[in-house]
Amino acid sequence: MLLSVVLALGVPPLALGAVAPVHHQRGVSDDTPLFTRRDISIEEASSAGIVQLLQNPKPDHFRSPIHARQRSLDRRAGTGNETVNTLFSGVYPVVNLTWGNTNANTPGQQFISFIDTGSSDSWVISSDLQCVDINTRVPLSQEACGFGPLYDSSTGSFTNISAQKFSISYFPEEESLQGDMGYAPITLGGLTVPKQEVALVNYAAWIGDGSSSGLLGLGYPAITSASNRKTGKSVEYDPLFTTMVKQGVVSTAIFTLAIDRVPQGTSPLAPAGLMAVGGLVPASYYDAPFTSVAIQSSGGEFTWYTINHTLKYGTNGSFTELTTSGTYQSIVDSGTSPNFIPTSHAKALNALFDPPAVYNATLDYYTVDCDATAPYAAYVIGGVEMAMDPQDMIVRSLNGLPGYENVCFSAFADGGAQTAGNVFIIGAVWQRSYVVAYDQARSMMHFANRKPY
Ligand SMILES: *[C@@H]1O[C@H](CO)[C@@H](O)[C@H](O)[C@H]1NC(C)=O
Ligand SMILES: *[C@@H]1O[C@H](CO)[C@@H](O)[C@H](O)[C@H]1NC(C)=O
Ligand SMILES: *[C@@H]1O[C@H](CO)[C@@H](O)[C@H](O)[C@H]1NC(C)=O
Ligand SMILES: *[C@@H]1O[C@H](CO)[C@@H](O)[C@H](O)[C@H]1NC(C)=O
Ligand SMILES: *[C@@H]1O[C@H](CO)[C@@H](O)[C@H](O)[C@H]1NC(C)=O
Ligand SMILES: *[C@@H]1O[C@H](CO)[C@@H](O)[C@H](O)[C@H]1NC(C)=O
């Protein structure tokens, strides 16, 4: 999930020019430095900051695998008006997030919440939710939105900020939410912020999974989504992680994600990786060294976790014929499953599957035979070639559902033209092979190979 104003935001023109890749050797010797850049040193997070990730529950139980919507896709190569809900099942990491009650002696209300580095607001669904149809906005029953347990305001300690409201929509799902802004005590793992600004959602156009009913937005303050009720002017505030840093709940402004690959059919809510808040995940998760690159700001302001990189791909086995894109920018987004890449590369890369992945305008994704042979594809970040694991190239999401007996998705979706101002997405499919540290302290991202699991 990516706060969807991304496509409207301007970024500086792209500098085209290939970076010479360096091949990474794993675990070469015991004195492999932790970071390629020797001036960087980051500790493992304290045990209170180590949080178990879970997989998106009931991944294969969505009401409908396809949800056609009427939003124009004109900006995406003029392919038609309809797209599909991003049903890359089992690949959205979630956590159990606790919202405190007025009576602090009670355990609080816990909600399965998406972990989203592509947006900054944290929200939960209120028990007075009005669910509406995602296309027509016609009112529906609460159950129709498919949320898990709802927030009970009568026991919760949500304090309304009555002058503000919340409104957001997400890319690529095109789901949207509205509600109230306020303060609540929030606990993530063993870390509590007693008074965090959050959103309580009472209006939703959503396709839920029956279990999750919240989201933890981990982006920067600049992309929060509160506004003044009277003027409509946006009102920036500190998201949960920013508050943790400012209030000393964590000792350093770094969190790290190790998102697991969760095969289709894995039982709901099985452990699905680890989040470390205030440092790195334990060393058992990665092979050092970490490669570090700068987070790109937009006009001097940090928004998303945007990095410069190239994309390299070719037929597996014929390494003399790899294609390398020019340098472009992508947002590293834990809440978006596929990688969105420039149109020309999406076409060329998807054609290299055997049999080729085919663009499907109804789904607005490339679908591929589940038994196809995948090509080689890698992001080159900080000069280091970081490949997709072949297991993640073919996403078995729709596979097996009625009408989709042998239909899979390609991991690479069309993100539009590679022009100045267009930013792309490095999705969770890629992140499953890497440990990613989000370092707001240094305005850097650090990437290490995930140990095989
Ligand atoms: C990243 O790309 C932008 C846009 O081309 C450029 O202005 C910036 O200098 C690049 N940053 C780095 C660290 O390469
Ligand atoms: C797009 O929407 C218009 C108006 O609703 C409709 O007439 C047209 O057939 C649609 N095109 C596609 C490709 O669905
Ligand atoms: C989330 O927290 C609730 C309340 O403690 C608990 O009942 C539930 O089992 C937890 N779920 C998971 C998947 O840990
Ligand atoms: C918060 O205040 C607004 C504005 O007065 C009001 O419309 C809304 O119902 C309130 N929400 C809650 C949860 O009290
Ligand atoms: C696109 O996918 C839909 C749903 O599976 C299918 O009905 C349709 O035939 C596909 N279109 C193409 C061009 O493959
Ligand atoms: C490419 O080929 C190698 C050697 O046969 C194999 O180990 C690897 O999994 C293949 N990669 C892809 C993306 O299929």
Side-chain angles (χ1 to χ4, degrees), residues 64 130 279 359-360 402 428:
S64 160
Q130 174 63 68
Y359 180 73
N360 183 310

Side-chain angles (χ1 to χ4, degrees), residues 128 153 158 160-164 180-181 200 202 229:
D128 66 352
S153 299
F158 180 84
N160 204 351
I161 303 174
S162 52
Q164 292 180 22
D180 303 322
M181 296 302 302
L200 187 55
N202 53 32
R229 279 187 198 279

Side-chain angles (χ1 to χ4, degrees), residues 42 254-258 274-281 290 435-438:
I42 302 172
I254 297 162
F255 64 89
T256 306
L257 289 173
L274 206 67
M275 176 176 191
V277 188
L280 298 179
V281 295
F290 281 89
V435 167
V436 182
Y438 297 76

Side-chain angles (χ1 to χ4, degrees), residues 45 47 50 53 62 65 113 117 126 219 257 322 339 350 365 384 394:
S47 59
I50 300 290
L53 298 185
F62 292 87
S113 304
T117 62
S126 167
L257 289 173
L322 295 181
N339 302 309
N350 281 305
Y365 285 108
V384 178
I394 295 173

Side-chain angles (χ1 to χ4, degrees), residues 17-291:
V19 177
V22 173
H23 286 271
H24 222 147
Q25 264 186 297
R26 291 186 173 209
V28 265
S29 78
D30 287 346
D31 29 274
T32 303
L34 189 49
F35 288 84
T36 306
R37 275 190 41 171
R38 305 286 179 133
D39 58 326
I40 296 174
S41 153
I42 302 172
E43 311 257 292
E44 186 178 318
S46 71
S47 59
I50 300 290
V51 188
Q52 178 72 65
L53 298 185
L54 310 166
Q55 74 153 321
N56 188 15
K58 298 189 199 161
D60 304 322
H61 293 254
F62 292 87
R63 286 177 301 128
S64 160
I66 295 185
H67 196 96
R69 281 161 295 168
Q70 293 161 348
R71 277 281 292 277
S72 168
L73 288 171
D74 286 351
R75 61 173 185 259
R76 313 255 315 267
T79 47
N81 318 358
E82 295 185 341
T83 186
V84 70
N85 198 37
T86 313
L87 294 177
F88 285 75
S89 70
V91 294
Y92 292 107
V94 295
V95 284
N96 217 357
L97 198 65
T98 306
W99 289 51
N101 285 333
T102 307
N103 179 347
N105 297 324
T106 63
Q109 302 178 46
Q110 300 206 292
F111 301 99
I112 301 299
S113 304
F114 293 101
I115 291 281
D116 189 15
T117 62
S119 68
S120 294
D121 304 281
S122 293
W123 50 259
V124 74
I125 305 296
S126 167
S127 53
D128 66 352
L129 170 73
Q130 174 63 68
C131 173
V132 298
D133 184 274
I134 204 162
N135 291 322
T136 62
R137 305 290 148 127
V138 168
L140 301 173
S141 70
Q142 282 191 342
E143 293 70 37
C145 275
F147 289 110
L150 306 182
Y151 182 79
D152 179 358
S153 299
S154 68
T155 56
S157 73
F158 180 84
T159 312
N160 204 351
I161 303 174
S162 52
Q164 292 180 22
K165 65 182 166 72
F166 173 67
S167 179
I168 195 168
S169 53
Y170 294 103
F171 174 89
E173 299 86 355
E174 299 192 0
E175 292 168 315
S176 63
L177 303 171
Q178 293 170 22
D180 303 322
M181 296 302 302
Y183 298 107
I186 302 291
T187 301
L188 171 63
L191 305 173
T192 296
V193 171
K195 190 185 175 194
Q196 172 57 40
E197 190 162 347
V198 287
L200 187 55
V201 171
N202 53 32
Y203 178 95
W206 198 261
I207 310 291
D209 51 49
S211 293
S212 59
S213 42
L215 184 143
L216 169 58
L218 290 162
Y220 284 92
I223 54 167
T224 50
S225 307
S227 62
N228 184 289
R229 279 187 198 279
K230 284 210 182 90
T231 64
K233 219 173 158 265
S234 72
V235 186
E236 186 177 311
Y237 68 92
D238 287 342
L240 181 71
F241 183 68
T242 305
T243 311
M244 284 182 171
V245 172
K246 285 191 179 172
Q247 297 185 354
V249 174
V250 291
S251 57
T252 179
I254 297 162
F255 64 89
T256 306
L257 289 173
I259 299 172
D260 279 3
R261 173 180 305 114
V262 181
Q264 199 178 34
T266 304
S267 74
L269 299 179
L274 206 67
M275 176 176 191
V277 188
L280 298 179
V281 295
S284 57
Y285 278 79
Y286 57 81
D287 283 323
F290 281 89
T291 297

